[in-house]
C-alpha cells in the first residue's frame, strides 16, 4: 500500500534533509566555484556508496576477515573511516550554523 510505503520512507527523507545542510557550507568553502563544488558533491556522494558496497560484499561472504577477535583490519578501517567522515561533516555543518547565528546576533 502506498501509505505504508510513505510511512516507511519518512526516516530516509528526514535523513536526506538533515544531511543536505552541508552543501551550502561546502559551496561557500570552495569560494562558490561551480566545478569544484560539483566535483566535491559527486565525490562526496560516491564515497559512501562505495563504502556501502564494500561493506555488503564483506558481510555476504567476500572472504574478508571482519572478526574483531582476530584483529581483522577491514572492520577497523571501515569503522574509523565512518566515524571520521561523520564527525568531519557534523563539525563543519555545526560551525557554519553557529557562525551564521552569531553573525546575525552581532
Amino acid at each position: 500500500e502506498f501509505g505504508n510505503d510513505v510511512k516507511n520512507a519518512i526516516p530516509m527523507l528526514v535523513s536526506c534533509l538533515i544531511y543536505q545542510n552541508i552543501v551550502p557550507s561546502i559551496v561557500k568553502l570552495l569560494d562558490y566555484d561551480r566545478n569544484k563544488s560539483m566535483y566535491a558533491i559527486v565525490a562526496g556522494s560516491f564515497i559512501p556508496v562505495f563504502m556501502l558496497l564494500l561493506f555488503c560484499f564483506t558481510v555476504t561472504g567476500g572472504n574478508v576477515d571482519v572478526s574483531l577477535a582476530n584483529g581483522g583490519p577491514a572492520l577497523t578501517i571501515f569503522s574509523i573511516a565512518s566515524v571520521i567522515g561523520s564527525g568531519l561533516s557534523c563539525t563543519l555543518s555545526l560551525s557554519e550554523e553557529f557562525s551564521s547565528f552569531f553573525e546575525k546576533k552581532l
Side-chain angles (χ1 to χ4, degrees):
E1 180 178 321
F2 181 73
N4 194 26
D5 292 340
V6 170
K7 184 181 83 172
N8 290 335
I10 287 175
M12 183 191 62
L13 295 173
V14 170
S15 179
C16 289
L17 290 173
I18 291 169
Y19 291 125
Q20 286 303 315
N21 67 350
I22 195 72
V23 172
S25 302
I26 295 296
V27 171
K28 183 179 176 184
L29 185 66
L30 295 173
D31 295 325
Y32 303 100
D33 185 352
R34 181 179 174 90
N35 292 331
K36 289 180 185 177
S37 299
M38 290 294 290
Y39 178 75
I41 291 169
V42 169
S45 298
F46 177 73
I47 291 170
V49 169
F50 176 73
M51 289 179 67
L52 175 67
L53 292 174
L54 185 64
F55 177 76
C56 291
F57 172 74
T58 303
V59 170
T60 58
N63 201 16
V64 178
D65 184 18
V66 294
S67 64
L68 290 174
N70 296 336
L75 187 59
T76 304
I77 291 170
F78 182 79
S79 300
I80 290 172
S82 297
V83 169
I84 289 173
S86 178
L88 182 65
S89 63
C90 182
T91 302
L92 181 62
S93 178
L94 284 175
S95 67
E96 190 70 29
E97 290 294 324
F98 284 137
S99 68
S100 66
F101 175 74
F102 288 124
E103 285 175 4
K104 290 178 184 177
K105 287 289 187 180
L106 298 176

